[in-house]
Amino acid sequence: MMKQVLSFLKSIDFYKSVTLLFAVLVPLVLFGWLGGDTTPAVSIVMGVFLCSPSDVPGSIRHMALGILVSSAIATLTTLAIHVSFFSVWILLPVLSLLVFFNSMLSVFGFRASLVSFSGLLAIILAFAHPASGSAILMHGGLILLGGMWYLGVTMLAHALVSRRHNQLILAECMNLTAKYLRIRGRLLQTPEDTQKIQEELFQLQTEINEKHEKLREIFVAERTRSGISHFASKYILIFIELVDILELAMSNPANYQRISRYFEGQQASLQPFIDILHTMSNRLEYLAEVVSGDERMKVREGIAPLYQRADESILHYLKVNQFTQTHEGAIILRNLLDYEQKQQQKIESIERVLQDLVDQEQIVQRSKDVEQFITPQDYDLSVIRQNLNARSTIFRHAIRLTFTVLCGYALGTVLPVQNPYWIMLTIIVIMRPSYGLTKSRSIQRVYGTLIGGVIALGIVLSTQNPYIYGTLAAVSLLFAISLVQKNYGGSAVFITLNVIFLYALIKPDALNVIQFRVLDTAIGAGLAFLSGLFLWPSWEFINIQNVIADSIKANREYLREISALYQEKGEIPTSYKLARKEAFLAIGHLSAAFQRMSQEPKSKRQNFSKIYEMVVLNHTFLTAAAAMGTFIQNHFTSEKSEHFQTFINSTDDNLKVAQAYLNSEQAAAASHHVQLDKAKFYLEQQFKALAESQSEFLSDERTPKQEEGHLQLQEVSLITGQLKWLYALSENIRNTAHELVGAGSPTEVISSP
């Protein structure tokens, strides 16, 4: 528990909350010390709050631009609301346009969605702090000044702790990768829980992909700003190894059903391999602590005994099964051991980097193409025009949010509540394009407000000391901001405490504040939930077919790059790495979409079982393709044959048909039965001949000739197995896509490219 608390206090979120608290307290303390009117300080503090959401990890340039744009939009929005207060007939159209416009900014990506939130928050705070006459311009100017003040504070803080921030993000990525390794290991231990474990992996992979994108942005910005410094170069190389570790983890071993079949009743044969996986996960977590600065690099005890046990397990398996066919099971164990050795090499590479045992030339060489892996964001205004239609999730959300805010304003005006804008604030904070996220945030917000209200009530009844109220308001703000991303329910508790104690400092009727705070939150949360359920909701089944099609497209491109690598050999081209990245991101988007769909009402989960099947099939296809690509990268392989290409072409054609179904396009099916049957027969005969001639390759005594035979048999076994499996998966993907969309049977015949 203490370790978790210390980890939280060292986190980026806590650093950000400290920075924000400093930026808030300085103008308040300064104006209070000068003994004058503190109203200007309040306006400056509002400016600080309104631009702070854009302060997220990434390049300094993007962060600064985000804060500047947030500050500008917040200032203009505030002025527009204030000048409209004189007439409700002017105010309502202006309010509607501003809510809609700010909501639509989210089409430009994650950072733009934070700018969007700043604009929406400015609308609500304008109702909380009304101004008139010349005070409007003064208030707007001070909000802009607050934004500039916060930009200066956060730039200074970033200059002081930017390296620390980068270390923490990299360490988080390492911990997530270690967790991924451990969960993959559970597939060996409990293959009967495959579905549950796969769902965990889907969600975890989405988180890892997000961290990868964030790190790419940071490292490219670091190189552009100051060249490749010693520390930045180390982090880049560690990141590259983490990407390779993820690919290895996804790709080996892929067919757990096959493993379960061969080792049923012989789980002990797998235990040494499971122990190695756990040891590697533990080591990667320890290295994450080294990167974050919590531990010093130490030489570990040798892992060689574990690999010795794995070798002995293979020999024991052969002896126990000497009267049965042992080649397949033994090859599975050999491939598993080979995978773990490759994974161990990656972890050892990270250790060498942390020990400064890698020369700068190698770092520069490996990181030379890192700029090409940044996912560019299009900020052209045409993107908004393209999303002004019913198919756009953001457009539907903008319409829904605008209507709900107007309803909240109307209810707040009609009902006898203390602060009507609290209802609108709750709506703005809770509502999201996804029904599932809106529902969960509504529940967490209500529970958090109730818990915070009870805690505040106890404190208010116990003491009326304003110094205690002020201290608790500052501390609760600190934790409210630092928890908002990781624990929204906990953040809601501290937000409630902060609001109540601030009001208790200003007004003596704190009990009424608690009562109305809970009531307003309940009304706002109820409106947000009902709107997400009934008002033009964006159910995932509407768009998920497009997400599946994108994943299939990315898998096709990755498979083509694998085929080209098998043909060309040599150094891994950048195009291969880019295709791999896009395939990983696409499956991450698909997993996230499925997770959102699983949170929706059962009545809205149309074709849920088929969609889940497509998610699993695409994920399994990617792991099988990655297994083959990883083997080709790390082994000397034979020349590519026409039979290999026949399998690749046939598999690609199946995926092309599935993609056409999902995109509602003309479906075309290929007929490769003759060529495919011939390819299957050739590869199976090749494996059989090698297996018979190399039956002793798994013996205890290993000669160079036996080692060469082992490598040949391993290549034929893995490549043949993966090709057959990929083709079978592509058939399942095609058939499931056909059933999912209810398309007609494909009749047109196309030939192999």
Side-chain angles (χ1 to χ4, degrees):
M1 181 65 179
M2 183 57 66
K3 185 177 181 180
Q4 292 177 331
V5 172
L6 290 174
S7 177
F8 169 72
L9 294 177
K10 295 178 180 179
S11 68
I12 296 173
D13 292 324
F14 190 77
Y15 279 148
K16 177 185 173 181
S17 64
V18 171
T19 303
L20 179 58
L21 185 62
F22 174 80
V24 166
L25 290 179
V26 167
L28 291 174
V29 171
L30 181 61
F31 276 84
W33 178 68
L34 292 175
D37 184 11
T38 58
T39 302
V42 173
S43 298
I44 293 173
V45 167
M46 288 176 65
V48 170
F49 270 115
L50 289 173
C51 67
S52 63
S54 296
D55 181 13
V56 292
S59 75
I60 295 180
R61 177 175 175 271
H62 289 169
M63 181 195 69
L65 286 174
I67 292 175
L68 287 171
V69 173
S70 295
S71 187
I73 288 178
T75 302
L76 294 174
T77 297
T78 301
L79 293 175
I81 291 292
H82 280 170
V83 298
S84 304
F85 272 140
F86 70 91
S87 170
V88 70
W89 302 111
I90 299 295
L91 177 62
L92 290 178
V94 170
L95 175 61
S96 302
L97 288 173
L98 288 174
V99 173
F100 178 80
F101 169 76
N102 279 292
S103 300
M104 286 299 298
L105 292 178
S106 296
V107 299
F108 293 117
F110 174 68
R111 195 177 291 274
S113 70
L114 300 176
V115 174
S116 166
F117 180 73
S118 294
L120 293 170
L121 193 58
I123 295 171
I124 310 305
L125 292 184
F127 283 90
H129 192 274
S132 59
S134 60
I136 295 177
L137 289 177
M138 177 64 72
H139 180 57
L142 290 172
I143 286 178
L144 188 61
L145 177 63
M148 299 305 99
W149 159 244
Y150 183 74
L151 176 61
V153 171
T154 195
M155 292 294 285
L156 177 61
H158 207 86
L160 294 174
V161 298
S162 62
R163 182 184 298 174
R164 174 66 175 166
H165 280 192
N166 296 347
Q167 288 175 322
L168 290 173
I169 296 172
L170 186 60
E172 287 178 8
C173 185
M174 294 174 74
N175 278 318
L176 289 173
T177 306
K179 184 178 179 181
Y180 194 92
L181 290 179
R182 185 171 284 109
I183 294 176
R184 292 282 293 188
R186 280 167 49 198
L187 285 168
L188 291 174
Q189 292 174 285
T190 55
E192 65 275 4
D193 294 336
T194 298
Q195 180 174 337
K196 180 181 177 182
I197 296 172
Q198 285 284 13
E199 290 176 3
E200 288 184 56
L201 290 173
F202 291 162
Q203 185 170 358
L204 185 56
Q205 190 176 337
T206 301
E207 294 180 44
I208 294 174
N209 286 338
E210 290 173 356
K211 282 288 185 295
H212 283 181
E213 287 291 276
K214 194 172 292 184
L215 286 167
R216 288 186 183 102
E217 182 184 348
I218 290 171
F219 293 145
V220 170
E222 183 83 14
R223 286 176 56 140
T224 304
R225 186 177 72 254
S226 57
I228 186 161
S229 67
H230 176 65
F231 281 99
S233 62
K234 288 173 63 175
Y235 298 157
I236 290 173
L237 198 54
I238 291 172
F239 170 66
I240 292 171
E241 297 295 352
L242 289 175
V243 174
D244 289 344
I245 287 173
L246 178 63
E247 183 189 30
L248 276 170
M250 286 185 63
S251 62
N252 294 280
N255 196 338
Y256 290 99
Q257 291 80 10
R258 187 178 171 207
I259 291 175
S260 178
R261 185 173 67 251
Y262 275 103
F263 296 95
E264 185 176 1
Q266 301 185 57
Q267 190 69 20
S269 298
L270 295 171
Q271 192 57 48
F273 302 91
I274 295 170
D275 293 340
I276 292 174
L277 285 173
H278 287 165
T279 302
M280 289 193 296
S281 299
N282 293 337
R283 187 60 179 177
L284 198 53
E285 288 174 343
Y286 170 76
L287 294 177
E289 292 181 351
V290 174
V291 168
S292 65
D294 295 334
E295 291 282 350
R296 288 185 176 274
M297 188 68 191
K298 298 176 183 176
V299 179
R300 62 171 172 180
E301 297 179 4
I303 197 173
L306 291 177
Y307 287 104
Q308 179 63 34
R309 283 179 52 206
D311 269 322
E312 292 170 356
S313 180
I314 296 174
L315 295 175
H316 178 73
Y317 173 81
L318 285 168
K319 292 176 182 177
V320 170
N321 299 277
Q322 59 182 323
F323 298 111
T324 61
Q325 177 58 264
T326 59
H327 284 302
E328 288 292 335
I331 289 173
I332 287 173
L333 292 179
R334 279 291 177 194
N335 286 338
L336 183 55
L337 182 59
D338 185 54
Y339 151 68
E340 292 179 339
Q341 288 171 336
K342 292 291 186 300
Q343 202 71 281
Q344 183 61 37
Q345 290 172 9
K346 298 294 180 184
I347 294 174
E348 288 175 353
S349 294
I350 294 175
E351 292 179 350
R352 287 196 298 273
V353 171
L354 293 174
Q355 293 172 319
D356 290 325
L357 299 179
V358 179
D359 59 71
Q360 189 75 2
E361 183 179 347
Q362 180 183 350
I363 294 174
V364 172
Q365 182 65 26
R366 292 202 64 189
S367 61
K368 62 181 179 180
D369 296 323
V370 68
E371 289 88 351
Q372 298 185 43
F373 292 86
I374 291 291
T375 303
Q377 178 63 57
D378 185 4
Y379 289 104
D380 195 293
L381 289 178
S382 63
V383 176
I384 290 183
R385 291 199 301 270
Q386 293 167 9
N387 279 270
L388 294 176
N389 58 73
R391 296 187 303 276
S392 169
T393 301
I394 299 299
F395 176 75
R396 294 160 77 103
H397 170 67
I399 295 292
R400 186 165 55 249
L401 181 62
T402 302
F403 180 81
T404 310
V405 168
L406 290 175
C407 289
Y409 175 75
L411 279 176
T413 304
V414 173
L415 296 177
V417 296
Q418 189 179 54
N419 296 298
Y421 62 85
W422 275 355
I423 297 176
M424 294 191 292
L425 177 61
T426 302
I427 293 169
I428 293 293
V429 170
I430 287 177
M431 284 195 70
R432 292 293 180 268
S434 148
Y435 164 83
L437 188 55
T438 298
K439 177 184 175 182
S440 64
R441 288 173 77 97
S442 297
I443 295 171
Q444 291 171 5
R445 183 77 177 189
V446 171
Y447 279 128
T449 301
L450 287 172
I451 294 170
V454 170
I455 295 172
L457 179 62
I459 295 173
V460 168
L461 292 176
S462 301
T463 180
Q464 284 74 47
N465 190 320
Y467 294 103
I468 293 178
Y469 290 168
T471 302
L472 290 175
V475 172
S476 57
L477 176 64
L478 192 66
F479 284 96
I481 296 167
S482 56
L483 286 172
V484 70
Q485 295 294 332
K486 294 185 177 180
N487 188 335
Y488 184 73
S491 177
V493 173
F494 288 106
I495 289 173
T496 302
L497 290 171
N498 174 258
V499 170
I500 291 172
F501 290 133
L502 284 177
Y503 268 86
L505 286 171
I506 300 170
K507 299 179 180 180
D509 56 344
L511 294 179
N512 280 335
V513 173
I514 295 172
Q515 171 189 336
F516 284 112
R517 175 69 180 173
V518 173
L519 177 61
D520 293 342
T521 298
I523 294 173
L527 285 173
F529 173 73
L530 292 174
S531 296
L533 185 60
F534 296 113
L535 184 59
W536 213 13
S538 300
W539 305 119
E540 284 298 326
F541 75 84
I542 297 174
N543 294 314
I544 200 167
Q545 284 186 194
N546 295 330
V547 184
I548 296 172
D550 290 342
S551 180
I552 292 174
K553 180 182 178 182
N555 282 344
R556 288 181 62 201
E557 184 60 36
Y558 185 34
L559 186 63
R560 281 195 286 269
E561 288 294 332
I562 291 171
S563 177
L565 182 64
Y566 197 34
Q567 171 73 33
E568 301 297 332
K569 317 295 184 185
E571 185 179 349
I572 303 170
T574 301
S575 59
Y576 174 94
K577 297 176 183 177
L578 286 170
R580 177 183 64 183
K581 173 211 164 189
E582 292 302 325
F584 283 5
L585 287 178
I587 201 66
H589 294 326
L590 178 55
S591 300
F594 177 76
Q595 290 295 328
R596 292 193 297 269
M597 187 177 187
S598 66
Q599 296 174 336
E600 295 176 347
K602 289 185 178 180
S603 61
K604 303 302 179 183
R605 301 179 199 170
Q606 295 186 15
N607 299 312
F608 186 76
S609 61
K610 288 297 176 186
I611 289 172
Y612 174 72
E613 189 176 345
M614 286 295 283
V615 173
V616 173
L617 284 171
N618 275 276
H619 193 279
T620 307
F621 186 94
L622 178 57
T623 60
M628 188 162 65
T630 302
F631 183 86
I632 294 169
Q633 290 178 57
N634 295 293
H635 295 81
F636 180 80
T637 55
S638 58
E639 292 299 316
K640 176 180 171 183
S641 70
E642 60 176 314
H643 304 292
F644 178 95
Q645 193 59 44
T646 297
F647 266 99
I648 296 294
N649 291 340
S650 302
T651 301
D652 184 69
D653 285 339
N654 281 332
L655 296 180
K656 190 190 303 181
V657 171
Q659 191 179 339
Y661 283 150
L662 294 167
N663 289 330
S664 302
E665 298 172 352
Q666 178 67 38
S671 177
H672 292 102
H673 298 302
V674 176
Q675 301 98 312
L676 200 59
D677 288 343
K678 186 187 297 183
K680 285 180 181 177
F681 179 78
Y682 172 82
L683 292 174
E684 287 170 357
Q685 290 299 113
Q686 186 185 29
F687 172 75
K688 185 178 179 181
L690 273 173
E692 290 176 351
S693 64
Q694 301 293 337
S695 58
E696 76 282 5
F697 86 96
L698 288 166
S699 64
D700 199 10
E701 184 181 351
R702 303 291 291 278
T703 65
K705 184 178 180 181
Q706 287 172 331
E707 186 66 31
E708 182 182 352
H710 155 58
L711 293 175
Q712 289 178 348
L713 187 58
Q714 186 183 27
E715 178 187 354
V716 173
S717 172
L718 189 138
I719 296 297
T720 302
Q722 296 305 104
L723 286 174
K724 291 164 68 175
W725 194 23
L726 285 168
Y727 179 76
L729 288 168
S730 69
E731 281 190 313
N732 288 336
I733 290 173
R734 182 197 65 195
N735 294 335
T736 306
H738 177 223
E739 295 170 4
L740 183 61
V741 301
S745 300
T747 55
E748 185 181 349
V749 176
I750 61 175
S751 58
S752 298

